[in-house]
Structure formats: C-alpha cells, structure tokens
Amino acid sequence: MRNNYAVPFQRAATAVLASVLLAGAGHALAQEYPSRPVKLIVPFAAGGPADVYGRAVAQRLQDVLKQSFVVENRPGAGSLIGTEAVAKSAPDGYTLLLMSNTHTVNESLFASKPYELMRDFAPVAPINYSDLVLVTRPTLEAGTTADLLKMAKARPGDLSYASSGPGTPYHMAGELFKAMAGVNILHIPYKGSSGARTDVLSGQVDMMFDAVPTMVEFVRSGRVKALATTGRTRSQVLPNVPTMAESGVPDYEAVIWLGLLAPKGTPAAIVNRLNEEVGRMASDPQVMQAWAKQGATPMKMSPDAFSRYMQDDIAKWARIVKLSGAKADR
C-alpha cells in the first residue's frame, strides 16, 4: 500500500536540504567577499560629512576585510548622478553607495528621477547622525535667532542662506526654518557644501545650516556666529549654543544622517557581512569617543531595521517638502 506521507515527507526533506545548502553557500560567499577592490561612491563633493565619514568607513572595512575600499566622489544634481551610477551597477557587493538623508528627501522633492530608493537599493547599515548648526557671517547684525527672525520679517527676501544643493539636509533645514518661523529668506544653492561654506565665511551669503562636526572649528575661531543647533537637546560640542526650539521655533528638529546602500539584488550574505562590520565600528569605544568629540553619534541597526528607518524618513520628509513648498530647482 502506498504511504500517503511519503511524498510530503520527501518534499519537506528536499526543502530542508536546499535551505541548508543555500545557507552554506551564503556563508562561504560572505567568507570569500571581498576578493577584489570595492568601490564606495560618495555622491557629494569632498570635504563634507558624507565624504569624511564615508572615508572613515571605507578605511575601517579595508582594515578588517583585508581588501581595498576605494572612495570615489561623484557629486552633482542633488546626489542623483552618483546614486544612479550605483543603482545601475552589478549587485555583487563591489559597488556601494554612501547615502545621507538627502536621498530620503529626494524621493518627494524630485518629480522624476532615474531610480527609486526602496526599489533599486538594498539597505546595508546606518553610520551616524549629527546635529546641524545655524551660523551667520560675523558682520550680520543679529546676535540671536530672535534678532535674525526680527530682521527677516522686517526685510522679507533680503537675507540669504546657502546650501550644498537642492534636497540636501542643509537645504531642507533652511526650508523647514522658513516654514516654521514664517519668514522669507532667499535660498542660494551650491554644488557642494564647501562652496556654500566658503561664501558664508567670506560674507558673500548671510547664513547657512551646516553639520556641527564640519562647522565647529569655525565657530570656535569666531569666523562665523552660531545662533542655534537643530537637535532636540543641546550639542555636547557646542553646549553654549541654544537649540532652535529654545530660540523661538518650537518643535524644530533637523539632523544629517549617513548610511550605506548596495544595489538591489546584492546577496544577503554580503549585505549581512557589511552590516556586521559597520555595526562593530559603531560599537567601538574609540570610534564612539572620537565621533562624540566631533558632534556625531554612531547608529547601529540590522538591514531590516534600517530599511524601516529609511521608509519612515521618506514619509517624514515628504510631509516637510509639502509644508515648505520646497522645489528641486531652487
């Protein structure tokens, strides 16, 4: 008599065997990776937080994985140029993307673009986040945010703020400030944060929002005036500078955060290996201490948790883009 349980049992056994073999293959793949140099594309100009911390992560991965991690800056079009290049790369773990929340903003800021973040990329790991600081040229007749708001309301459109380009955290921090404070300040976009910063330092532009790690030394040397930071609490690096919420714009919060992505379809074993190593870096006491001195806080999540974090951030910035009326071309 035929055993009614034989076929289901055979199928189950085959499925178990297949999963074991796949798991073994994934483990072997992760152990073999990387067998040649890996390219990390930073879609921003050199000198900004994304470039600085991208290079730090690349160096760490190079040290622990014993293979070259080469950083390549491909700025332009609000990060779209470099990002598209990675989206079109082979999903083999040898081309990675250093992202920031510019990318989550761009999902709603640009009416069309050659990729979709959650469709075309595999989230690998977050890296860190930093508060921003609102700074002005030293000669601006405003010593506090309250002074600045009074001036902006009396002279609508006369004051200007620089950013590193449409959709960047610096741009959106400025648009959020304008919307929540009810002021009209002219946005002057640059192709990178270095140009924006240079023109604020030289007095060509009135102000900008910039990352605390990048701007702190200019604040301490008096080359710019720091009016407010953008986190929920005061920055440990600039403890004497009030938050924006303390300065008359309640509930204001804007930060810059960084992460690592791979092209969609990159093997899970490679994604998990990279996530593990970046997570170890984030938990390293020496790294945590060094970044804290710069005003950056390490982040650590699984790939799935990071995916959910990105989706939530896309939704958050979609609301802010709508509130501010921000456009990619200004």
Side-chain angles (χ1 to χ4, degrees):
M1 184 175 72
R2 182 180 178 184
N3 186 341
N4 293 330
Y5 298 101
V7 172
F9 178 80
Q10 290 171 353
R11 289 175 178 170
T14 301
V16 170
L17 178 60
S19 66
V20 170
L21 291 174
L22 285 173
H27 179 73
L29 178 64
Q31 293 302 311
E32 294 171 1
Y33 172 85
S35 59
R36 64 178 191 271
V38 178
K39 182 186 296 182
L40 175 59
I41 291 182
V42 177
F44 308 102
D51 178 60
V52 171
Y53 289 112
R55 291 179 184 277
V57 169
Q59 185 62 55
R60 176 72 172 222
L61 291 174
Q62 179 170 297
D63 291 343
V64 297
L65 297 180
K66 309 303 180 184
Q67 185 59 260
S68 296
F69 277 71
V70 181
V71 175
E72 181 178 318
N73 294 88
R74 289 199 196 179
S79 80
L80 267 62
I81 293 174
T83 304
E84 181 184 8
V86 180
K88 293 180 176 180
S89 296
D92 55 10
Y94 289 92
T95 304
L96 305 173
L97 178 73
L98 194 290
M99 72 165 296
S100 79
N101 44 333
T102 294
H103 290 81
T104 53
V105 171
N106 283 350
E107 290 298 289
S108 55
L109 191 67
F110 285 87
S112 63
K113 57 187 188 318
Y115 64 85
E116 289 183 19
L117 203 59
M118 305 310 298
R119 181 193 69 193
D120 297 324
F121 290 94
V124 175
I127 297 170
N128 63 26
Y129 74 88
S130 306
D131 291 345
L132 306 180
V133 58
L134 171 60
V135 299
T136 71
R137 56 181 172 84
T139 54
L140 187 70
E141 303 86 357
T144 66
T145 302
D147 293 339
L148 178 65
L149 292 176
K150 184 177 180 180
M151 185 184 303
K153 289 177 180 179
R155 296 158 43 190
D158 283 354
L159 297 178
S160 59
Y161 84 92
S163 85
S164 53
T168 59
Y170 315 114
H171 173 211
M172 297 312 299
E175 293 302 312
L176 182 61
F177 177 68
K178 288 164 57 177
M180 294 184 71
V183 293
N184 179 11
I185 301 173
L186 178 65
H187 174 221
I188 302 179
Y190 289 74
K191 292 183 178 181
S193 57
S194 296
R197 195 174 302 116
T198 296
D199 278 4
V200 173
L201 290 168
S202 65
Q204 300 301 309
V205 183
D206 293 315
M207 70 195 82
M208 75 176 293
F209 287 85
D210 203 351
V212 168
T214 308
M215 190 56 74
V216 62
E217 293 305 322
F218 297 114
V219 173
R220 289 171 176 167
S221 65
R223 295 187 63 188
V224 292
K225 290 190 292 187
L227 301 191
T229 54
T230 63
R232 291 186 180 273
T233 60
R234 292 197 180 195
S235 168
Q236 295 182 20
V237 179
L238 296 171
N240 295 325
V241 179
T243 66
M244 190 65 73
E246 291 177 304
S247 303
V249 189
D251 299 322
Y252 183 98
E253 182 185 14
V255 300
I256 179 172
W257 61 263
L258 306 172
L260 198 64
L261 302 182
K264 197 74 168 182
T266 298
I270 292 176
V271 169
N272 291 333
R273 180 78 188 279
L274 290 168
N275 177 273
E276 179 183 344
E277 296 302 342
V278 175
R280 285 177 178 170
M281 181 180 185
S283 301
D284 186 320
Q286 291 185 335
V287 171
M288 295 172 68
Q289 184 178 22
W291 285 3
K293 289 180 180 179
Q294 299 165 359
T297 302
M299 300 169 69
K300 184 177 180 180
M301 301 176 196
S302 69
D304 286 343
F306 185 37
S307 177
R308 292 191 295 271
Y309 181 86
M310 288 172 58
Q311 290 171 333
D312 289 345
D313 210 53
I314 289 169
K316 168 189 171 180
W317 285 111
R319 293 191 297 270
I320 294 173
V321 167
K322 184 177 180 180
L323 171 69
S324 68
K327 304 294 182 182
D329 59 352
R330 71 180 191 192

